């Protein structure tokens, strides 16, 4: 059966303990840390609005004492660790020391929170994310950030394969284009029927705790 409906659930249905995973909301502001290798490459609008909503959501999770984990893609200036990431439309990105690699203002991890740096698109690949989530006894991860069709999609896929329930907040992720954004949401909903949720549903769940 082909999944075509990407309407998010208006009720968050988590399983067990929940952790918010903030994926690659970088740029040191509203700048785009992902530089295209092709001059005609364009980006889906909505990044600034998503970033502002992310700050509000992190604040709400902290107030409800639900764990937050921050993910940051970082590469050495030599690009020794970037692998095949330059084989597509992206040019060098998330370079160590570049202001655009910094997390968005207002998303600075607290001392008791985890900041996990990654060298690949999935937040699980080659990182300690699974160990951290198991420490929190998490069963459900809520995903916000970007890009929908790249790091969010691959993180959701690995969460699924590690047997976590994932809930991607569909109005708090931005893709490399509308068509690819929509396709990634369809792919995630194909994996988990409750995998898409609205930010309103998340905030309603938080206020019910």
């Amino acid at each position: 059966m082909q999944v075509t409906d990407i309407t998010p659930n208006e009720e968050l249905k988590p399983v067990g303990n929940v952790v918010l995973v903030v994926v690659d909301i970088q740029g040191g502001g509203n700048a785009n840390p992902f530089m295209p290798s092709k001059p005609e490459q364009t980006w889906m609008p909505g990044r600034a609005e998503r970033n502002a909503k992310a700050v509000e959501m992190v604040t709400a999770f902290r107030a409800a004492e639900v764990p937050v984990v921050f993910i940051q893609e970082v590469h050495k200036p030599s690009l020794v660790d970037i692998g095949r990431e330059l084989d597509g439309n992206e040019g060098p990105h998330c370079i160590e020391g570049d202001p655009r690699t910094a997390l968005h203002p207002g998303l600075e991890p607290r001392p008791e929170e985890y900041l996990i740096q990654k060298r690949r698109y999935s937040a699980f690949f080659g990182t300690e994310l699974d160990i951290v989530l198991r420490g929190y006894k998490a069963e459900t991860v809520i995903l916000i950030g970007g890009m929908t069709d790249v790091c969010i999609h691959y993180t959701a896929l690995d969460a699924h394969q590690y047997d976590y329930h994932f809930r991607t907040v569909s109005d708090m992720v931005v893709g490399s284009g509308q068509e690819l954004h929509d396709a990634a949401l369809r792919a995630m909903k194909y994996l988990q029927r409750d995998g898409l949720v609205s930010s309103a549903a998340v905030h309603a769940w938080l206020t019910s705790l």
Side-chain angles (χ1 to χ4, degrees):
M1 180 181 68
Q2 183 179 8
V3 177
T4 58
D5 182 15
I6 56 174
T7 303
N9 293 331
E10 293 304 326
E11 179 184 358
L12 175 60
K13 303 174 182 178
V15 177
N17 291 336
V18 172
V19 172
L20 174 66
V21 181
V22 183
V23 181
D24 298 352
I25 302 187
Q26 298 171 233
N30 291 323
N32 191 340
F34 300 96
M35 300 304 294
S37 59
K38 298 180 179 179
E40 67 272 18
Q41 179 74 45
T42 59
W43 302 100
M44 182 178 168
R47 182 179 302 272
E49 293 81 2
R50 189 264 334 255
N51 291 355
K53 292 174 69 174
V55 175
E56 294 177 357
M57 181 162 284
V58 167
T59 300
F61 268 79
R62 287 169 171 168
E65 298 184 342
V66 180
V68 181
V69 174
F70 297 86
I71 308 298
Q72 180 186 34
E73 184 171 347
V74 181
H75 297 288
K76 291 292 185 183
S78 67
L79 303 182
V80 67
D81 54 5
I82 206 164
R84 301 263 64 82
E85 289 194 10
L86 303 182
D87 289 358
N89 281 340
E90 293 183 6
H93 55 273
C94 298
I95 305 302
E96 187 177 82
D98 189 323
R100 293 172 298 186
T101 302
L103 297 181
H104 179 75
L107 297 179
E108 298 82 7
R110 291 178 173 177
E112 70 274 14
E113 295 172 335
Y114 285 94
L115 170 61
I116 296 176
Q117 293 186 336
K118 64 185 177 72
R119 311 288 174 175
R120 293 294 184 270
Y121 292 136
S122 169
F124 285 92
F125 191 90
T127 76
E128 68 269 38
L129 179 57
D130 182 51
I131 293 174
V132 169
L133 294 176
R134 293 186 188 280
Y136 285 129
K137 296 180 172 55
E139 294 184 61
T140 298
V141 293
I142 296 178
L143 302 176
I144 63 174
M147 292 185 291
T148 316
D149 48 308
V150 189
C151 298
I152 293 292
H153 185 190
Y154 298 139
T155 299
L157 173 61
D158 279 350
H160 180 79
Q161 295 184 134
Y162 275 102
D163 293 328
Y164 294 102
H165 302 268
F166 69 80
R167 303 291 182 261
T168 298
V169 186
S170 61
D171 57 324
M172 293 188 64
V173 291
V174 176
S176 61
Q178 188 68 52
E179 181 179 358
L180 291 171
H181 169 82
D182 291 348
L185 292 179
R186 289 189 180 93
M188 286 183 269
K189 191 168 183 178
Y190 181 88
L191 287 179
Q192 294 192 12
R193 66 180 64 89
D194 294 324
L196 303 183
V197 67
S198 69
S199 59
V202 176
H203 282 289
W205 174 76
L206 287 169
T207 57
S208 73
L209 297 179

